[in-house]
Amino acid sequence: MSISAFALIFLTIYVGLAQLDALSLKIGLFSPVFGGAATGLVMGDLKTGLIVGATLQLATLGVATYGGATVPDFLSGSVMGSAFAIMSGRGAAYGIGLAIPIGLLLTQMDILARMTNTIFQHHADRLALEGDYKGVERNNLYGIIPWTVSRMLPVFVGLFFGSAVVKAINAWIPAWLMTGLKTAGIILPAMGIAILMRYLPIKRYYPYFILGFVLMAYFTKSFSLLGTALVGFVFAAIHVMDANERKNNGPSKPNDNSNDSGNSDDEEVEIDV
């Protein structure tokens, strides 16, 4: 199966817009699950795209580009991995195995984009000293070019030569290496969840964590992920309402009682008199 011209152009533009979304609005287009879903939608296999994208999404939990740090480009990996999985017909596991090294390899493109962007930013600094605010605005917009090209170019080239790339990958990658990549694809989501748990107050709310684990591990036939999430929402709502009620009621004040009793004694004396 080969990719259509429409899908090629759409996915190339999509990764460029998704990268801008990652730098600005963050409405979700930059997420691997969105990239995999968009790829599966335009290529006629939404299920495979969702599986590949969701798996890579789990791998990115708790990972962020703080400062100048660079993380794997799993957005482009999800797009290309989903596309290759659909074109080859070998399933989502094959796409995940390809998406991981693609994401790691495209880390270098992210570094190149950051380095190129500094050219425009330094030029903007010089224009700011000259008072040319229009030039500063233009150079800030010019920074869009390296960011988008760093994602659009490799995706376009990889998908344009899709059939040849897939055949070359199948011929070049030995079976043991592909098995290792698939295994890494299974482990990475668990690692992403573990990283995320480091930022959560698990020690304080461990009963809820254990309950969710038991529901998903031992009652998978009765509970879905959505059902478990709703159970968690119920417990969270109960916890919040109980905390608000205790905060509003507050502890009784002994001093107020003593004052009231004193006042009542005074009133009784005055009545007797």
Side-chain angles (χ1 to χ4, degrees), residues 84 122 133 148 175 248:
F84 290 153
H122 288 316
Y133 71 93
T148 55
N248 294 332

Side-chain angles (χ1 to χ4, degrees), residues 150-163:
S150 67
R151 270 63 178 181
M152 296 172 67
L153 183 61
V155 169
F156 178 83
V157 172
L159 297 181
F160 182 78
F161 299 100
S163 300

Side-chain angles (χ1 to χ4, degrees), residues 2-12 156 160:
S2 60
I3 188 169
S4 65
F6 170 77
L8 175 62
I9 296 173
F10 175 84
L11 294 175
T12 301
F156 178 83
F160 182 78

Side-chain angles (χ1 to χ4, degrees), residues 9-230:
I9 296 173
F10 175 84
L11 294 175
T12 301
I13 296 175
Y14 175 85
V15 292
L17 295 177
Q19 179 57 32
L20 293 182
D21 177 51
L23 298 173
S24 55
L25 298 177
K26 295 186 182 297
I27 61 176
L29 295 178
F30 65 95
S31 301
V33 66
F34 274 80
T39 305
L41 187 63
V42 298
M43 297 190 66
D45 191 350
L46 180 60
K47 181 180 178 180
T48 299
L50 282 173
I51 294 175
V52 174
T55 302
L56 294 178
Q57 184 71 46
L58 290 174
T60 62
L61 293 177
V63 178
T65 55
Y66 299 109
T70 299
V71 298
D73 182 14
F74 284 143
L75 167 64
S76 301
S78 67
V79 171
M80 299 177 71
S82 300
F84 290 153
I86 296 171
M87 286 189 290
S88 65
R90 297 181 60 178
Y94 177 79
I96 295 169
L98 294 179
I100 293 172
I102 289 173
L104 294 172
L105 179 63
L106 293 183
T107 301
Q108 307 306 319
M109 295 297 294
D110 183 80
I111 296 173
L112 182 61
R114 292 171 184 268
M115 292 176 59
T116 307
N117 191 39
T118 58
I119 298 174
F120 301 114
Q121 298 308 311
H122 288 316
H123 191 206
D125 290 338
R126 291 193 295 269
L127 294 175
L129 295 175
E130 299 172 3
D132 185 1
Y133 71 93
K134 289 289 186 181
V136 174
E137 292 176 353
R138 285 195 303 271
N139 278 271
N140 284 331
L141 293 177
Y142 292 158
I144 295 175
I145 299 174
W147 280 114
T148 55
V149 171
S150 67
R151 270 63 178 181
M152 296 172 67
L153 183 61
V155 169
F156 178 83
V157 172
L159 297 181
F160 182 78
F161 299 100
S163 300
V165 171
V166 170
K167 291 179 181 179
I169 290 173
N170 291 335
W172 179 75
I173 297 182
W176 62 267
L177 180 58
M178 181 56 65
T179 302
L181 292 175
K182 291 179 181 179
T183 304
I186 298 173
I187 295 175
L188 281 177
M191 184 183 69
I193 293 175
I195 295 174
L196 181 63
M197 288 173 58
R198 290 178 59 87
Y199 301 100
L200 299 177
I202 297 296
K203 293 182 179 179
R204 183 177 180 182
Y205 300 109
Y206 70 89
Y208 304 118
F209 173 77
I210 295 175
L211 176 62
F213 174 79
V214 170
L215 291 177
M216 291 304 298
Y218 297 100
F219 300 97
T220 53
K221 294 183 178 180
S222 303
F223 272 90
S224 64
L225 184 61
L226 178 60
T228 305
L230 290 175

